Amino acid sequence: MNNISAVDVLPQQPSFVFELEQDEQEQLVDVLQSVTHQYEIDNFENFYWHCFQQSFRLPARLQKKLFDFRAFENENYLLIKGLPVPENLGATPLSYTQTNGENLKITRTLISMLLSRIGYIYSFAGKKNFNFIDDVFPIEKHQNEQLGTNKDFLQWHVEDGFHDAKADWVALFCLRGDINAETYLFQTKSLRLDADTLHQLQQSDYEILVDPTFNSRLKGNRRVAVLSQHEEPEMIFDPAYMRCLTPKAEAAMNKLTDYINANKEIFILAPGEMLLFDNRRVAHARSSYEPRYDGTDRWLLRALMLESKFKARDCFDSGTLRAR
């Protein structure tokens, strides 16, 4: 297990860590203050175009890092440190009715500028709490459910593995941290299992369910393989919402889960840090922690991205970034 704490100052940063220097932070603030188009849900596609246009004013070193990350895929995740967080952040929401405040439009604009150099931010029309950039915070009534708003261990998963428009990339931007809330990543290129187990995981002997953040009218369960047959396999993995259809399938799933738990990377996100990772080849989870539900709890913003809409073209109507 490798512990990579995002709150510690490392003598020599790993290659997947990018930290903005002071002058770059000042340049970024200047760019944000001059942007005239701010985040809006109803006209998001036009807003996102303006973010892409403005992204060429970002610090050159940051632009180069985003280009290299997208073009060469030498790393499956990237941690950007030193991004601005609003001084008037306000209290962590207690429910979704308290989200989408004016004070965070500038942060959502920043996220959109950065991610426009990676792909297309999108969302699912079938989500119960629709947004293109979601708020992630603890909700007391969800504390023991397998949802990102819980306080229990959030089990290993990839985002929306049941859907044809499953994200290629996921971004988590930390507004307010909690040193006891650990984010876990595992990349499939680190996987070392025996040939029989790998073969079983490549069979469509698993059923994945639609998770409860979606409306019930969405299409039902589907049979999938957990791993593709690539050398660095893609993964559909969400044990909390999957059923193993044979005893061999269950044994292989248990071996995979045990291996992931023993070989995870650990991140503790601090304010102004954004963690970007490949949702095809990286599973993620979160430790249990103890929210206070008093407005001071951990608070993230989350965005999903596609490199290209081509693979999911049947899921989108023309001119929209909302997947059906």
Side-chain angles (χ1 to χ4, degrees):
M1 180 188 347
N2 298 313
N3 191 337
I4 303 166
S5 174
V7 296
D8 293 335
V9 178
L10 301 177
Q12 183 174 357
Q13 301 280 31
S15 60
F16 60 81
V17 176
F18 179 91
E19 186 160 12
L20 287 158
E21 297 175 353
Q22 183 63 40
D23 62 327
E24 293 172 324
Q25 294 179 25
E26 294 170 358
Q27 180 184 346
L28 194 52
V29 170
D30 289 343
V31 170
L32 288 171
Q33 288 176 344
S34 67
V35 170
T36 56
H37 292 81
Q38 291 196 351
Y39 179 85
E40 55 178 322
I41 295 174
D42 292 339
N43 195 25
F44 179 79
E45 290 79 5
N46 184 60
F47 159 79
Y48 200 51
W49 148 244
H50 286 285
C51 288
F52 176 70
Q53 189 179 37
Q54 293 297 318
S55 71
F56 291 89
R57 300 174 59 203
L58 294 170
R61 199 170 63 96
L62 176 56
Q63 290 191 53
K64 178 65 163 59
K65 187 66 176 181
L66 292 170
F67 175 84
D68 289 350
F69 181 67
R70 169 70 172 81
F72 305 126
E73 297 188 351
N74 293 325
E75 302 286 354
N76 286 327
Y77 38 79
L78 172 64
L79 178 67
I80 301 175
K81 305 172 70 169
L83 296 168
V85 175
E87 294 181 2
N88 61 334
L89 182 57
T92 300
L94 300 176
S95 71
Y96 287 111
T97 60
Q98 298 175 358
T99 59
N100 292 321
E102 290 291 321
N103 58 326
L104 283 186
K105 282 191 172 181
I106 195 68
T107 305
R108 284 182 159 93
T109 299
L110 168 61
I111 293 170
S112 300
M113 288 172 60
L114 293 168
L115 299 185
S116 71
R117 303 299 288 271
I118 301 295
Y120 302 100
I121 294 177
Y122 76 109
S123 191
F124 295 93
K127 281 280 190 179
K128 292 178 180 177
N129 298 288
F130 180 85
N131 209 330
F132 283 99
I133 299 178
D134 298 316
D135 294 81
V136 180
F137 55 92
I139 296 178
E140 192 165 10
K141 68 179 181 180
H142 294 169
Q143 58 184 300
N144 302 124
E145 298 183 31
Q146 269 305 304
L147 297 170
T149 47
N150 75 359
K151 72 169 191 175
D152 290 345
F153 173 63
L154 181 62
Q155 292 185 31
W156 289 99
H157 63 286
V158 299
E159 295 293 341
D160 310 312
F162 65 89
H163 203 289
D164 289 333
K166 175 173 70 79
D168 294 326
W169 300 95
V170 177
L172 300 175
F173 186 105
C174 184
L175 297 167
R176 179 171 286 135
D178 186 321
I179 60 171
N180 296 310
E182 298 177 337
T183 298
Y184 302 139
L185 299 184
F186 176 83
Q187 50 188 334
T188 60
K189 69 181 179 182
S190 301
L191 192 57
R192 303 290 184 271
L193 290 174
D194 62 270
D196 288 343
T197 299
L198 289 173
H199 177 75
Q200 176 58 61
L201 293 166
Q202 293 166 353
Q203 309 308 306
S204 298
D205 289 341
Y206 304 87
E207 186 178 53
I208 187 165
L209 290 64
V210 177
D211 79 53
T213 63
F214 283 76
N215 293 314
S216 58
R217 67 176 180 271
L218 203 68
K219 289 182 180 179
N221 310 341
R222 59 188 295 187
R223 289 186 66 153
V224 297
V226 172
L227 299 178
S228 72
Q229 297 187 25
H230 301 91
E231 182 176 352
E232 185 179 350
E234 296 189 19
M235 172 183 279
I236 295 177
F237 188 60
D238 195 348
Y241 297 105
M242 293 182 84
R243 290 196 306 121
C244 302
L245 302 180
T246 70
K248 286 185 177 180
E250 184 174 7
M253 176 74 87
N254 290 338
K255 282 187 178 181
L256 174 61
T257 303
D258 289 345
Y259 189 91
I260 288 175
N261 280 320
N263 293 277
K264 59 182 178 283
E265 305 274 5
I266 302 174
F267 295 79
I268 303 174
L269 296 176
E273 296 182 345
M274 186 172 78
L275 181 62
L276 175 63
F277 55 90
D278 188 329
N279 191 53
R280 300 158 297 189
R281 294 173 290 190
V282 175
H284 65 287
R286 194 213 63 234
S287 69
S288 62
Y289 71 115
E290 291 297 329
R292 296 167 293 277
Y293 309 110
D294 62 355
T296 66
D297 285 322
R298 182 176 185 257
W299 185 7
L300 309 179
L301 294 176
R302 185 198 70 163
L304 305 178
M305 284 163 291
L306 291 173
E307 281 188 339
S308 167
K309 288 171 63 179
F310 182 79
K311 73 167 189 182
R313 57 194 179 280
D314 293 335
C315 300
F316 290 87
D317 293 324
S318 177
T320 180
L321 290 172
R322 302 179 188 223
R324 296 190 298 274

